[in-house]
Amino acid sequence: MFTGIIECTTQVHGLDYQKKNLCITLKNPFSDRLKINQSISHNGICFTIIDVKNKTYSVIASEETLRCTNLNVLKIKDKVNLERSMKINERFNGHIVQGHVDTTAKVLDIENKNGSWLFSFKSKKNLSGLTVEKGSIAVNGISLTIIKCTQHIFNVSIIPYTYEKTNLQFIKIGNFVNIEYDILGKYVREYMNSMNRKL
């Protein structure tokens, strides 16, 4: 479980396809604090660490993960947002993020607002019933607040700290990002759908 508060970014060190899986090796920014079997979020995707060396560590993406995320366009030296799993005894600063990416979204526009940035995204999936204005959404693992949303398009405002501390500063129009809807919205929609099926 994560909160969407990014700790840092790190660089992709290696990409190795193993049958239908992808082994991703990254530079280790946490020194000796990472261990095998730990969960860590990479651009909003929850991975299990399978190997740790002095300066790098590795994770495996399955075929399903590759299908649902933007990992197919990941390149060596790309910057990735990192967040280790949350601690139960600390403040909950973002929102509940599972690390289970729902879909990807295309960057439609990035507008410099003279102190902040307005990002516009177009989701591959219909947003109806999953997002609300002023609600939460995770973009590349970052907990953000939706300003405005339609069936497929939503906007978020990015403050300088978030821009500088995440890989949003490297994203360009036309790029794809990972999206995870608020888990509360997903459960409410499924409950309402189940009630309608019973009628």
Side-chain angles (χ1 to χ4, degrees), residues 68 102-104 123-128 130 151-152 181:
C68 296
D102 293 295
T103 188
T104 58
S123 172
K124 282 189 174 181
K125 292 185 178 180
N126 194 322
L127 299 170
S128 299
L130 290 167
Q151 285 190 342
H152 287 279
Y181 307 123

Side-chain angles (χ1 to χ4, degrees), residues 15-28:
L15 297 169
D16 179 26
Y17 278 93
Q18 301 174 354
K19 296 183 179 180
K20 292 187 176 181
N21 298 329
L22 176 62
C23 179
I24 308 168
T25 302
L26 305 105
K27 291 188 176 180
N28 187 346

Side-chain angles (χ1 to χ4, degrees), residues 187-199:
Y187 275 121
V188 168
R189 189 174 78 161
E190 178 57 29
Y191 174 76
M192 296 302 294
N193 287 340
S194 67
M195 293 300 292
N196 290 335
R197 288 193 294 266
K198 291 178 182 179
L199 295 177

Side-chain angles (χ1 to χ4, degrees), residues 50-63:
I50 62 166
D51 187 39
V52 179
K53 295 180 180 177
N54 187 28
K55 295 183 179 179
T56 64
Y57 69 96
S58 299
V59 298
I60 288 280
S62 68
E63 181 182 13

Side-chain angles (χ1 to χ4, degrees), residues 147-166:
I147 296 176
K148 186 178 180 181
C149 58
T150 62
Q151 285 190 342
H152 287 279
I153 297 172
F154 68 95
N155 302 328
V156 294
S157 181
I158 306 299
I159 62 173
Y161 181 87
T162 303
Y163 187 83
E164 293 163 6
K165 298 297 182 180
T166 69

Side-chain angles (χ1 to χ4, degrees), residues 17-177:
Y17 278 93
Q18 301 174 354
K19 296 183 179 180
K20 292 187 176 181
N21 298 329
L22 176 62
C23 179
I24 308 168
T25 302
L26 305 105
K27 291 188 176 180
N28 187 346
F30 298 115
S31 184
D32 59 349
R33 288 175 285 173
L34 292 184
K35 297 178 181 179
I36 292 174
N37 285 335
Q38 281 185 331
S39 293
I40 188 166
S41 171
H42 304 70
N43 280 354
I45 310 164
C46 178
F47 283 118
T48 300
I49 296 172
I50 62 166
D51 187 39
V52 179
K53 295 180 180 177
N54 187 28
K55 295 183 179 179
T56 64
Y57 69 96
S58 299
V59 298
I60 288 280
S62 68
E63 181 182 13
E64 172 65 11
T65 302
L66 294 173
R67 185 185 66 82
C68 296
T69 67
N70 65 0
L71 287 176
N72 286 309
V73 297
L74 192 66
K75 301 183 298 296
I76 292 174
K77 293 188 178 180
D78 276 357
K79 292 283 189 177
V80 175
N81 294 329
L82 294 185
E83 181 191 356
R84 289 172 292 175
S85 55
M86 63 180 288
K87 293 181 179 180
I88 207 85
N89 62 339
E90 291 190 353
R91 288 187 176 90
F92 200 108
N93 291 308
H95 73 280
I96 299 173
V97 178
Q98 293 183 297
H100 303 161
V101 172
D102 293 295
T103 188
T104 58
K106 185 177 182 179
V107 182
L108 292 183
D109 190 40
I110 303 171
E111 185 179 353
N112 191 325
K113 302 294 285 186
N114 194 26
S116 64
W117 289 263
L118 182 67
F119 278 70
S120 298
F121 300 96
K122 184 175 182 180
S123 172
K124 282 189 174 181
K125 292 185 178 180
N126 194 322
L127 299 170
S128 299
L130 290 167
T131 57
V132 293
E133 293 182 9
K134 311 308 179 191
S136 297
I137 196 166
V139 176
N140 271 2
I142 310 164
S143 176
L144 297 171
T145 301
I146 296 170
I147 296 176
K148 186 178 180 181
C149 58
T150 62
Q151 285 190 342
H152 287 279
I153 297 172
F154 68 95
N155 302 328
V156 294
S157 181
I158 306 299
I159 62 173
Y161 181 87
T162 303
Y163 187 83
E164 293 163 6
K165 298 297 182 180
T166 69
N167 63 7
L168 287 179
Q169 61 183 294
F170 306 112
I171 289 174
K172 296 178 173 55
I173 294 172
N175 289 169
F176 284 88
V177 295

